[in-house]
Amino acid sequence: MKSLYLFRHGKSDWGADYETDHDRPLAKRGRKAAKAMGTWLRKTKQEPDYVLCSTAVRTRQTLARAAKRWTGTPEVVYTDALYEATPEAVIGLLLALPITANDVMVVGHEPTSSALLSHFVGEAAVRFPTAAIARIDFPILSWHQIEGRFGELIWFLPPRLMP
């Protein structure tokens, strides 16, 4: 069994001083939501052991805030391939994961997060708000088996449901 956590970056600060979209940071609301989501993952014992994270500033900040609350330290790979990625590109990254990666988190962007969730659980229309996380389980032993396989949506949690 393999679990995939899709984690969209927190709310970004459109009013901040940044040069490119890639450099746009988190807003206060985004920082707070990332912290809350990380705490929830720790409390429910659902921390990833492997993370693929976009190199965009807001995704890196989201991961840093969330991971600060975790008890473990996952292996983290930062990749430009997740910035403005197609679902097919992300699936390609998943296919290349090591067999030892069991609970994998992808920290990325829209519309990719919604498209991946829809692809893996049955082509439903999905709205993936900022800082939301979805967990999808796959009855596979290796990530290279994910191609063409549909997963089971275990939960979908937007940060507005956090206390």
Side-chain angles (χ1 to χ4, degrees):
M1 176 73 69
K2 302 286 186 184
S3 294
L4 175 64
Y5 296 87
L6 299 175
F7 191 3
R8 182 179 176 199
H9 65 78
K11 183 79 171 161
S12 61
D13 187 353
W14 288 91
D17 184 26
Y18 57 92
E19 290 186 31
T20 67
D21 180 70
H22 190 272
D23 300 326
R24 187 164 21 102
L26 287 178
K28 182 178 178 182
R29 183 173 130 197
R31 293 189 300 270
K32 181 180 175 186
K35 176 182 171 183
M37 300 307 275
T39 299
W40 187 84
L41 287 171
R42 183 194 72 236
K43 287 181 177 178
T44 60
K45 297 180 180 4
Q46 296 185 84
E47 299 172 19
D49 56 42
Y50 197 98
V51 179
L52 293 170
C53 184
S54 164
T55 55
V57 169
R58 59 194 175 275
T59 53
R60 292 173 71 99
Q61 289 176 335
T62 297
L63 176 59
R65 290 260 172 183
K68 211 180 266 191
R69 276 81 194 153
W70 299 340
T71 57
T73 305
E75 182 174 346
V76 179
V77 174
Y78 295 98
T79 176
D80 289 329
L82 287 174
Y83 183 72
E84 297 183 343
T86 63
E88 294 77 19
V90 179
I91 291 168
L93 294 171
L94 295 173
L95 289 169
L97 287 171
I99 196 164
T100 55
N102 290 308
D103 300 313
V104 174
M105 176 176 280
V106 175
V107 186
H109 309 270
E110 273 296 280
T112 311
S113 297
S114 292
L116 283 168
L117 181 59
S118 178
H119 172 78
F120 286 133
V121 301
E123 300 300 327
V126 179
R127 182 182 169 276
F128 214 109
T130 54
I133 303 176
R135 176 180 164 189
I136 306 165
D137 283 356
F138 297 91
I140 57 176
L141 298 175
S142 173
W143 287 102
H144 77 268
Q145 296 172 309
I146 199 171
E147 193 169 38
R149 298 291 295 256
F150 286 103
E152 178 183 2
L153 179 63
I154 303 302
W155 49 261
F156 180 81
L157 184 63
R160 65 181 166 80
L161 297 179
M162 294 282 97

